[in-house]
Amino acid sequence: MRQRSLLCLVTAGLLAVSGCTVERHWGGSSAPAGSGQAKVGLVTKTETNPYFVELRNAASAAAQAQGAEFMALAGQFDGDNDGQVRAIENMVQQGVTTILITPNSSTGVLAAIERARQAGVMVIALDTATDPADAVDATYATDNVAAGRQQGAYVKAALAGAAPKVIMIDGTAGSTVDTYRHNGFLEGIGLKDGDPAIVGRDNANGDQSIAQQKMENLLQRSTDLNAVYTMNEPTARGAYAALQARGLRILMGSIDGGCQGVQNVRDGQYAATVMQFPRKMAEEGVAAAVRYAQTGQKPSGFIDTGSVVITDRPMPGVPSQDTTWGLQNCWGTK
């Protein structure tokens, strides 16, 4: 993998986008659609989350393979909506033909996206849908309701008829990923928001340290639980650390399918994770950007890139793969 150069773009009259990563930099105005030259910008939620590192690396490699110019910027933290707005504005000024974005807020970047589209830039959401979905030209992502439902169905089956007593460690409030996975899990396990079977819930913004703190706080109120929902694998690792400190072994599921997460499942930290495929999202997004530059044709609607339950404790009625398969197909560092 080629070494990245790190550069923060500062344009006169604009605030600097701090903590940004740039794979390739260019100047000048946007090439018109159909000109043949794709200039692809990727805006992720953060630079450091392994999931978004994988997304960025895959997009960069796909752009290089297809002769497209590429740049990548990110928010400083999960939930940094303002940083993503500035990144979009910078990219439009730098002449991109397509922006691929994983929006921190499904509504907070809509005005910036609209301005980019009015300037002739195609905008594709990766991983996280906007609200409304047609605020972008297309979305390449996991069906997060389905992924949440898979986690919930697995946990329900693993409880083997026991009434659930669940703590839910959610993601970032206002994100469609958080909402869809949360709702899907409840559907899969057979609960509704407000059900007394949900003994506690809090948001951790997808962050391991925050998740550990939030779980510790929830456990101070009650340890009478038998299941934990986690929005992603960093959240699951934080929740596991808090449970382990109290000597609790609680059934827990997650979503991501990173190599570290699959190894966590193999090591018994949590029972199952739902694997998603960020590499496929990035590659298909870049391919769409190249087609747009060459032909002016745009994709539309939602394109599901798939999800698979990974566990070494398979449950009847819940299709899954084991961790050997998971480690062969996971994303991130093995």
Side-chain angles (χ1 to χ4, degrees), residues 1-36:
M1 188 177 297
R2 64 192 179 89
Q3 184 177 6
R4 300 180 198 81
S5 60
L6 298 180
L7 171 66
C8 285
L9 301 175
V10 183
T11 306
L14 289 177
L15 294 173
V17 180
S18 58
C20 61
T21 301
V22 177
E23 298 284 353
R24 190 177 295 176
H25 171 62
W26 60 83
S29 59
S30 298
S35 67

PDB file of all heavy atoms in Angstrom, residues 1-36:
ATOM      1  N   MET A   1       0.852  -1.195   0.000  1.00  0.00           N
ATOM      2  CA  MET A   1       0.000   0.000   0.000  1.00  0.00           C
ATOM      3  C   MET A   1       0.887   1.243   0.000  1.00  0.00           C
ATOM      4  O   MET A   1       1.806   1.355   0.813  1.00  0.00           O
ATOM      5  CB  MET A   1      -0.873  -0.004   1.260  1.00  0.00           C
ATOM      6  CG  MET A   1      -1.921   1.086   1.265  1.00  0.00           C
ATOM      7  SD  MET A   1      -2.946   0.948   2.748  1.00  0.00           S
ATOM      8  CE  MET A   1      -3.682  -0.645   2.457  1.00  0.00           C
ATOM      9  N   ARG A   2       0.621   2.147  -0.890  1.00  0.00           N
ATOM     10  CA  ARG A   2       1.522   3.290  -1.009  1.00  0.00           C
ATOM     11  C   ARG A   2       1.357   4.218   0.184  1.00  0.00           C
ATOM     12  O   ARG A   2       0.305   4.322   0.782  1.00  0.00           O
ATOM     13  CB  ARG A   2       1.262   4.035  -2.322  1.00  0.00           C
ATOM     14  CG  ARG A   2      -0.102   4.663  -2.420  1.00  0.00           C
ATOM     15  CD  ARG A   2      -0.337   5.097  -3.850  1.00  0.00           C
ATOM     16  NE  ARG A   2      -1.644   5.693  -3.999  1.00  0.00           N
ATOM     17  CZ  ARG A   2      -1.907   6.965  -3.832  1.00  0.00           C
ATOM     18  NH1 ARG A   2      -0.951   7.777  -3.474  1.00  0.00           N
ATOM     19  NH2 ARG A   2      -3.132   7.444  -4.004  1.00  0.00           N
ATOM     20  N   GLN A   3       2.440   4.878   0.508  1.00  0.00           N
ATOM     21  CA  GLN A   3       2.432   5.768   1.660  1.00  0.00           C
ATOM     22  C   GLN A   3       1.602   7.003   1.372  1.00  0.00           C
ATOM     23  O   GLN A   3       1.633   7.554   0.294  1.00  0.00           O
ATOM     24  CB  GLN A   3       3.878   6.171   1.982  1.00  0.00           C
ATOM     25  CG  GLN A   3       3.991   7.022   3.244  1.00  0.00           C
ATOM     26  CD  GLN A   3       5.434   7.335   3.559  1.00  0.00           C
ATOM     27  OE1 GLN A   3       6.308   7.004   2.780  1.00  0.00           O
ATOM     28  NE2 GLN A   3       5.662   7.990   4.679  1.00  0.00           N
ATOM     29  N   ARG A   4       0.831   7.430   2.371  1.00  0.00           N
ATOM     30  CA  ARG A   4       0.014   8.616   2.196  1.00  0.00           C
ATOM     31  C   ARG A   4       0.797   9.855   2.563  1.00  0.00           C
ATOM     32  O   ARG A   4       1.612   9.856   3.461  1.00  0.00           O
ATOM     33  CB  ARG A   4      -1.225   8.561   3.098  1.00  0.00           C
ATOM     34  CG  ARG A   4      -2.118   7.411   2.840  1.00  0.00           C
ATOM     35  CD  ARG A   4      -3.265   7.523   3.819  1.00  0.00           C
ATOM     36  NE  ARG A   4      -3.920   6.251   3.917  1.00  0.00           N
ATOM     37  CZ  ARG A   4      -3.478   5.244   4.661  1.00  0.00           C
ATOM     38  NH1 ARG A   4      -2.400   5.368   5.389  1.00  0.00           N
ATOM     39  NH2 ARG A   4      -4.138   4.115   4.686  1.00  0.00           N
ATOM     40  N   SER A   5       0.491  10.944   1.882  1.00  0.00           N
ATOM     41  CA  SER A   5       0.983  12.233   2.313  1.00  0.00           C
ATOM     42  C   SER A   5      -0.117  12.907   3.092  1.00  0.00           C
ATOM     43  O   SER A   5      -1.285  12.784   2.754  1.00  0.00           O
ATOM     44  CB  SER A   5       1.375  13.087   1.099  1.00  0.00           C
ATOM     45  OG  SER A   5       0.261  13.287   0.281  1.00  0.00           O
ATOM     46  N   LEU A   6       0.253  13.590   4.166  1.00  0.00           N
ATOM     47  CA  LEU A   6      -0.737  14.253   5.003  1.00  0.00           C
ATOM     48  C   LEU A   6      -0.683  15.744   4.732  1.00  0.00           C
ATOM     49  O   LEU A   6       0.363  16.367   4.771  1.00  0.00           O
ATOM     50  CB  LEU A   6      -0.446  13.985   6.487  1.00  0.00           C
ATOM     51  CG  LEU A   6      -0.521  12.514   6.899  1.00  0.00           C
ATOM     52  CD1 LEU A   6      -0.212  12.369   8.374  1.00  0.00           C
ATOM     53  CD2 LEU A   6      -1.889  11.962   6.592  1.00  0.00           C
ATOM     54  N   LEU A   7      -1.819  16.308   4.476  1.00  0.00           N
ATOM     55  CA  LEU A   7      -1.889  17.710   4.122  1.00  0.00           C
ATOM     56  C   LEU A   7      -3.243  18.237   4.501  1.00  0.00           C
ATOM     57  O   LEU A   7      -4.245  17.587   4.278  1.00  0.00           O
ATOM     58  CB  LEU A   7      -1.696  17.872   2.607  1.00  0.00           C
ATOM     59  CG  LEU A   7      -1.943  19.275   2.019  1.00  0.00           C
ATOM     60  CD1 LEU A   7      -0.899  20.236   2.544  1.00  0.00           C
ATOM     61  CD2 LEU A   7      -1.908  19.220   0.508  1.00  0.00           C
ATOM     62  N   CYS A   8      -3.319  19.392   5.123  1.00  0.00           N
ATOM     63  CA  CYS A   8      -4.597  20.037   5.380  1.00  0.00           C
ATOM     64  C   CYS A   8      -4.739  21.194   4.408  1.00  0.00           C
ATOM     65  O   CYS A   8      -3.847  22.019   4.287  1.00  0.00           O
ATOM     66  CB  CYS A   8      -4.679  20.548   6.819  1.00  0.00           C
ATOM     67  SG  CYS A   8      -4.940  19.229   7.983  1.00  0.00           S
ATOM     68  N   LEU A   9      -5.860  21.196   3.714  1.00  0.00           N
ATOM     69  CA  LEU A   9      -6.104  22.225   2.720  1.00  0.00           C
ATOM     70  C   LEU A   9      -6.617  23.476   3.409  1.00  0.00           C
ATOM     71  O   LEU A   9      -7.580  23.431   4.153  1.00  0.00           O
ATOM     72  CB  LEU A   9      -7.157  21.734   1.725  1.00  0.00           C
ATOM     73  CG  LEU A   9      -6.796  20.456   0.961  1.00  0.00           C
ATOM     74  CD1 LEU A   9      -7.982  20.047   0.110  1.00  0.00           C
ATOM     75  CD2 LEU A   9      -5.583  20.695   0.117  1.00  0.00           C
ATOM     76  N   VAL A  10      -5.993  24.604   3.139  1.00  0.00           N
ATOM     77  CA  VAL A  10      -6.469  25.868   3.667  1.00  0.00           C
ATOM     78  C   VAL A  10      -6.709  26.791   2.488  1.00  0.00           C
ATOM     79  O   VAL A  10      -5.813  27.076   1.719  1.00  0.00           O
ATOM     80  CB  VAL A  10      -5.434  26.506   4.620  1.00  0.00           C
ATOM     81  CG1 VAL A  10      -6.000  27.786   5.207  1.00  0.00           C
ATOM     82  CG2 VAL A  10      -5.059  25.543   5.724  1.00  0.00           C
ATOM     83  N   THR A  11      -7.936  27.213   2.295  1.00  0.00           N
ATOM     84  CA  THR A  11      -8.299  28.072   1.189  1.00  0.00           C
ATOM     85  C   THR A  11      -8.641  29.441   1.733  1.00  0.00           C
ATOM     86  O   THR A  11      -9.274  29.559   2.774  1.00  0.00           O
ATOM     87  CB  THR A  11      -9.518  27.496   0.446  1.00  0.00           C
ATOM     88  OG1 THR A  11      -9.205  26.148   0.087  1.00  0.00           O
ATOM     89  CG2 THR A  11      -9.829  28.291  -0.791  1.00  0.00           C
ATOM     90  N   ALA A  12      -8.249  30.504   1.042  1.00  0.00           N
ATOM     91  CA  ALA A  12      -8.532  31.852   1.504  1.00  0.00           C
ATOM     92  C   ALA A  12     -10.017  32.015   1.758  1.00  0.00           C
ATOM     93  O   ALA A  12     -10.837  31.686   0.924  1.00  0.00           O
ATOM     94  CB  ALA A  12      -8.074  32.861   0.449  1.00  0.00           C
ATOM     95  N   GLY A  13     -10.326  32.547   2.927  1.00  0.00           N
ATOM     96  CA  GLY A  13     -11.720  32.794   3.282  1.00  0.00           C
ATOM     97  C   GLY A  13     -12.399  31.606   3.906  1.00  0.00           C
ATOM     98  O   GLY A  13     -13.549  31.703   4.310  1.00  0.00           O
ATOM     99  N   LEU A  14     -11.703  30.426   3.969  1.00  0.00           N
ATOM    100  CA  LEU A  14     -12.296  29.238   4.564  1.00  0.00           C
ATOM    101  C   LEU A  14     -11.522  28.867   5.822  1.00  0.00           C
ATOM    102  O   LEU A  14     -10.319  29.108   5.935  1.00  0.00           O
ATOM    103  CB  LEU A  14     -12.240  28.045   3.602  1.00  0.00           C
ATOM    104  CG  LEU A  14     -13.159  28.113   2.385  1.00  0.00           C
ATOM    105  CD1 LEU A  14     -12.912  26.891   1.512  1.00  0.00           C
ATOM    106  CD2 LEU A  14     -14.609  28.143   2.827  1.00  0.00           C
ATOM    107  N   LEU A  15     -12.206  28.231   6.750  1.00  0.00           N
ATOM    108  CA  LEU A  15     -11.527  27.688   7.909  1.00  0.00           C
ATOM    109  C   LEU A  15     -10.726  26.470   7.481  1.00  0.00           C
ATOM    110  O   LEU A  15     -11.110  25.731   6.589  1.00  0.00           O
ATOM    111  CB  LEU A  15     -12.556  27.274   8.967  1.00  0.00           C
ATOM    112  CG  LEU A  15     -13.367  28.411   9.589  1.00  0.00           C
ATOM    113  CD1 LEU A  15     -14.455  27.814  10.486  1.00  0.00           C
ATOM    114  CD2 LEU A  15     -12.475  29.326  10.393  1.00  0.00           C
ATOM    115  N   ALA A  16      -9.614  26.216   8.152  1.00  0.00           N
ATOM    116  CA  ALA A  16      -8.839  25.020   7.860  1.00  0.00           C
ATOM    117  C   ALA A  16      -9.608  23.799   8.323  1.00  0.00           C
ATOM    118  O   ALA A  16     -10.292  23.823   9.322  1.00  0.00           O
ATOM    119  CB  ALA A  16      -7.490  25.087   8.591  1.00  0.00           C
ATOM    120  N   VAL A  17      -9.473  22.730   7.574  1.00  0.00           N
ATOM    121  CA  VAL A  17     -10.037  21.460   8.002  1.00  0.00           C
ATOM    122  C   VAL A  17      -8.936  20.718   8.746  1.00  0.00           C
ATOM    123  O   VAL A  17      -8.002  20.215   8.154  1.00  0.00           O
ATOM    124  CB  VAL A  17     -10.506  20.627   6.799  1.00  0.00           C
ATOM    125  CG1 VAL A  17     -11.093  19.301   7.269  1.00  0.00           C
ATOM    126  CG2 VAL A  17     -11.528  21.395   5.988  1.00  0.00           C
ATOM    127  N   SER A  18      -9.029  20.667  10.067  1.00  0.00           N
ATOM    128  CA  SER A  18      -7.972  20.043  10.840  1.00  0.00           C
ATOM    129  C   SER A  18      -8.134  18.543  10.835  1.00  0.00           C
ATOM    130  O   SER A  18      -9.211  18.013  10.715  1.00  0.00           O
ATOM    131  CB  SER A  18      -8.005  20.577  12.271  1.00  0.00           C
ATOM    132  OG  SER A  18      -9.252  20.333  12.857  1.00  0.00           O
ATOM    133  N   GLY A  19      -7.001  17.849  10.984  1.00  0.00           N
ATOM    134  CA  GLY A  19      -7.021  16.403  11.036  1.00  0.00           C
ATOM    135  C   GLY A  19      -7.389  15.747   9.731  1.00  0.00           C
ATOM    136  O   GLY A  19      -7.908  14.647   9.713  1.00  0.00           O
ATOM    137  N   CYS A  20      -7.121  16.381   8.605  1.00  0.00           N
ATOM    138  CA  CYS A  20      -7.558  15.803   7.339  1.00  0.00           C
ATOM    139  C   CYS A  20      -6.435  15.008   6.698  1.00  0.00           C
ATOM    140  O   CYS A  20      -5.276  15.224   6.960  1.00  0.00           O
ATOM    141  CB  CYS A  20      -8.024  16.893   6.381  1.00  0.00           C
ATOM    142  SG  CYS A  20      -6.759  18.071   5.946  1.00  0.00           S
ATOM    143  N   THR A  21      -6.815  14.084   5.840  1.00  0.00           N
ATOM    144  CA  THR A  21      -5.866  13.263   5.113  1.00  0.00           C
ATOM    145  C   THR A  21      -6.081  13.477   3.630  1.00  0.00           C
ATOM    146  O   THR A  21      -7.201  13.409   3.164  1.00  0.00           O
ATOM    147  CB  THR A  21      -6.079  11.781   5.425  1.00  0.00           C
ATOM    148  OG1 THR A  21      -5.932  11.592   6.820  1.00  0.00           O
ATOM    149  CG2 THR A  21      -5.083  10.908   4.695  1.00  0.00           C
ATOM    150  N   VAL A  22      -5.016  13.716   2.903  1.00  0.00           N
ATOM    151  CA  VAL A  22      -5.126  13.944   1.468  1.00  0.00           C
ATOM    152  C   VAL A  22      -4.246  12.944   0.754  1.00  0.00           C
ATOM    153  O   VAL A  22      -3.057  12.842   1.013  1.00  0.00           O
ATOM    154  CB  VAL A  22      -4.695  15.383   1.105  1.00  0.00           C
ATOM    155  CG1 VAL A  22      -4.736  15.575  -0.396  1.00  0.00           C
ATOM    156  CG2 VAL A  22      -5.592  16.394   1.787  1.00  0.00           C
ATOM    157  N   GLU A  23      -4.843  12.161  -0.146  1.00  0.00           N
ATOM    158  CA  GLU A  23      -4.084  11.178  -0.912  1.00  0.00           C
ATOM    159  C   GLU A  23      -3.428  11.810  -2.134  1.00  0.00           C
ATOM    160  O   GLU A  23      -2.335  11.457  -2.508  1.00  0.00           O
ATOM    161  CB  GLU A  23      -5.013  10.055  -1.368  1.00  0.00           C
ATOM    162  CG  GLU A  23      -5.649   9.283  -0.231  1.00  0.00           C
ATOM    163  CD  GLU A  23      -4.681   8.328   0.432  1.00  0.00           C
ATOM    164  OE1 GLU A  23      -3.565   8.175  -0.079  1.00  0.00           O
ATOM    165  OE2 GLU A  23      -5.047   7.751   1.459  1.00  0.00           O
ATOM    166  N   ARG A  24      -4.142  12.724  -2.790  1.00  0.00           N
ATOM    167  CA  ARG A  24      -3.605  13.392  -3.965  1.00  0.00           C
ATOM    168  C   ARG A  24      -4.260  14.751  -4.039  1.00  0.00           C
ATOM    169  O   ARG A  24      -5.426  14.898  -3.728  1.00  0.00           O
ATOM    170  CB  ARG A  24      -3.898  12.571  -5.224  1.00  0.00           C
ATOM    171  CG  ARG A  24      -3.167  13.064  -6.442  1.00  0.00           C
ATOM    172  CD  ARG A  24      -3.437  12.175  -7.630  1.00  0.00           C
ATOM    173  NE  ARG A  24      -2.909  10.838  -7.425  1.00  0.00           N
ATOM    174  CZ  ARG A  24      -3.083   9.840  -8.279  1.00  0.00           C
ATOM    175  NH1 ARG A  24      -3.775  10.018  -9.368  1.00  0.00           N
ATOM    176  NH2 ARG A  24      -2.579   8.650  -8.034  1.00  0.00           N
ATOM    177  N   HIS A  25      -3.529  15.737  -4.455  1.00  0.00           N
ATOM    178  CA  HIS A  25      -4.027  17.103  -4.437  1.00  0.00           C
ATOM    179  C   HIS A  25      -3.919  17.715  -5.823  1.00  0.00           C
ATOM    180  O   HIS A  25      -2.973  17.460  -6.548  1.00  0.00           O
ATOM    181  CB  HIS A  25      -3.195  17.919  -3.434  1.00  0.00           C
ATOM    182  CG  HIS A  25      -3.480  19.386  -3.476  1.00  0.00           C
ATOM    183  ND1 HIS A  25      -4.718  19.899  -3.182  1.00  0.00           N
ATOM    184  CD2 HIS A  25      -2.685  20.435  -3.762  1.00  0.00           C
ATOM    185  CE1 HIS A  25      -4.669  21.225  -3.288  1.00  0.00           C
ATOM    186  NE2 HIS A  25      -3.446  21.558  -3.643  1.00  0.00           N
ATOM    187  N   TRP A  26      -4.904  18.474  -6.196  1.00  0.00           N
ATOM    188  CA  TRP A  26      -4.896  19.151  -7.484  1.00  0.00           C
ATOM    189  C   TRP A  26      -5.516  20.518  -7.324  1.00  0.00           C
ATOM    190  O   TRP A  26      -6.170  20.807  -6.338  1.00  0.00           O
ATOM    191  CB  TRP A  26      -5.656  18.348  -8.547  1.00  0.00           C
ATOM    192  CG  TRP A  26      -7.091  18.132  -8.181  1.00  0.00           C
ATOM    193  CD1 TRP A  26      -8.136  18.981  -8.360  1.00  0.00           C
ATOM    194  CD2 TRP A  26      -7.624  17.004  -7.496  1.00  0.00           C
ATOM    195  NE1 TRP A  26      -9.279  18.455  -7.850  1.00  0.00           N
ATOM    196  CE2 TRP A  26      -9.002  17.244  -7.318  1.00  0.00           C
ATOM    197  CE3 TRP A  26      -7.064  15.810  -7.023  1.00  0.00           C
ATOM    198  CZ2 TRP A  26      -9.828  16.330  -6.685  1.00  0.00           C
ATOM    199  CZ3 TRP A  26      -7.896  14.909  -6.408  1.00  0.00           C
ATOM    200  CH2 TRP A  26      -9.260  15.173  -6.238  1.00  0.00           C
ATOM    201  N   GLY A  27      -5.374  21.342  -8.329  1.00  0.00           N
ATOM    202  CA  GLY A  27      -6.012  22.654  -8.315  1.00  0.00           C
ATOM    203  C   GLY A  27      -6.881  22.803  -9.547  1.00  0.00           C
ATOM    204  O   GLY A  27      -6.986  21.924 -10.369  1.00  0.00           O
ATOM    205  N   GLY A  28      -7.528  23.940  -9.666  1.00  0.00           N
ATOM    206  CA  GLY A  28      -8.331  24.209 -10.855  1.00  0.00           C
ATOM    207  C   GLY A  28      -9.782  23.908 -10.660  1.00  0.00           C
ATOM    208  O   GLY A  28     -10.217  23.420  -9.643  1.00  0.00           O
ATOM    209  N   SER A  29     -10.571  24.190 -11.691  1.00  0.00           N
ATOM    210  CA  SER A  29     -12.019  24.013 -11.621  1.00  0.00           C
ATOM    211  C   SER A  29     -12.393  22.581 -11.941  1.00  0.00           C
ATOM    212  O   SER A  29     -11.592  21.800 -12.434  1.00  0.00           O
ATOM    213  CB  SER A  29     -12.700  24.958 -12.615  1.00  0.00           C
ATOM    214  OG  SER A  29     -12.245  24.696 -13.921  1.00  0.00           O
ATOM    215  N   SER A  30     -13.647  22.252 -11.653  1.00  0.00           N
ATOM    216  CA  SER A  30     -14.129  20.900 -11.888  1.00  0.00           C
ATOM    217  C   SER A  30     -14.132  20.570 -13.376  1.00  0.00           C
ATOM    218  O   SER A  30     -14.512  21.389 -14.200  1.00  0.00           O
ATOM    219  CB  SER A  30     -15.554  20.741 -11.345  1.00  0.00           C
ATOM    220  OG  SER A  30     -15.573  20.944  -9.956  1.00  0.00           O
ATOM    221  N   ALA A  31     -13.698  19.327 -13.686  1.00  0.00           N
ATOM    222  CA  ALA A  31     -13.837  18.837 -15.056  1.00  0.00           C
ATOM    223  C   ALA A  31     -15.293  18.476 -15.272  1.00  0.00           C
ATOM    224  O   ALA A  31     -15.913  17.862 -14.415  1.00  0.00           O
ATOM    225  CB  ALA A  31     -12.940  17.624 -15.271  1.00  0.00           C
ATOM    226  N   PRO A  32     -15.894  18.853 -16.413  1.00  0.00           N
ATOM    227  CA  PRO A  32     -17.310  18.542 -16.621  1.00  0.00           C
ATOM    228  C   PRO A  32     -17.549  17.058 -16.754  1.00  0.00           C
ATOM    229  O   PRO A  32     -16.688  16.310 -17.197  1.00  0.00           O
ATOM    230  CB  PRO A  32     -17.633  19.283 -17.930  1.00  0.00           C
ATOM    231  CG  PRO A  32     -16.323  19.380 -18.632  1.00  0.00           C
ATOM    232  CD  PRO A  32     -15.292  19.551 -17.559  1.00  0.00           C
ATOM    233  N   ALA A  33     -18.749  16.608 -16.332  1.00  0.00           N
ATOM    234  CA  ALA A  33     -19.113  15.212 -16.484  1.00  0.00           C
ATOM    235  C   ALA A  33     -19.024  14.825 -17.957  1.00  0.00           C
ATOM    236  O   ALA A  33     -19.439  15.579 -18.830  1.00  0.00           O
ATOM    237  CB  ALA A  33     -20.526  14.988 -15.964  1.00  0.00           C
ATOM    238  N   GLY A  34     -18.471  13.671 -18.242  1.00  0.00           N
ATOM    239  CA  GLY A  34     -18.294  13.230 -19.611  1.00  0.00           C
ATOM    240  C   GLY A  34     -16.946  13.586 -20.188  1.00  0.00           C
ATOM    241  O   GLY A  34     -16.627  13.195 -21.298  1.00  0.00           O
ATOM    242  N   SER A  35     -16.134  14.316 -19.435  1.00  0.00           N
ATOM    243  CA  SER A  35     -14.813  14.714 -19.932  1.00  0.00           C
ATOM    244  C   SER A  35     -13.805  13.575 -19.848  1.00  0.00           C
ATOM    245  O   SER A  35     -12.760  13.620 -20.486  1.00  0.00           O
ATOM    246  CB  SER A  35     -14.277  15.899 -19.118  1.00  0.00           C
ATOM    247  OG  SER A  35     -13.995  15.502 -17.784  1.00  0.00           O
ATOM    248  N   GLY A  36     -14.107  12.578 -19.004  1.00  0.00           N
ATOM    249  CA  GLY A  36     -13.230  11.428 -18.890  1.00  0.00           C
ATOM    250  C   GLY A  36     -12.323  11.446 -17.692  1.00  0.00           C
ATOM    251  O   GLY A  36     -11.816  10.405 -17.277  1.00  0.00           O
TER     252      GLY A  36
END
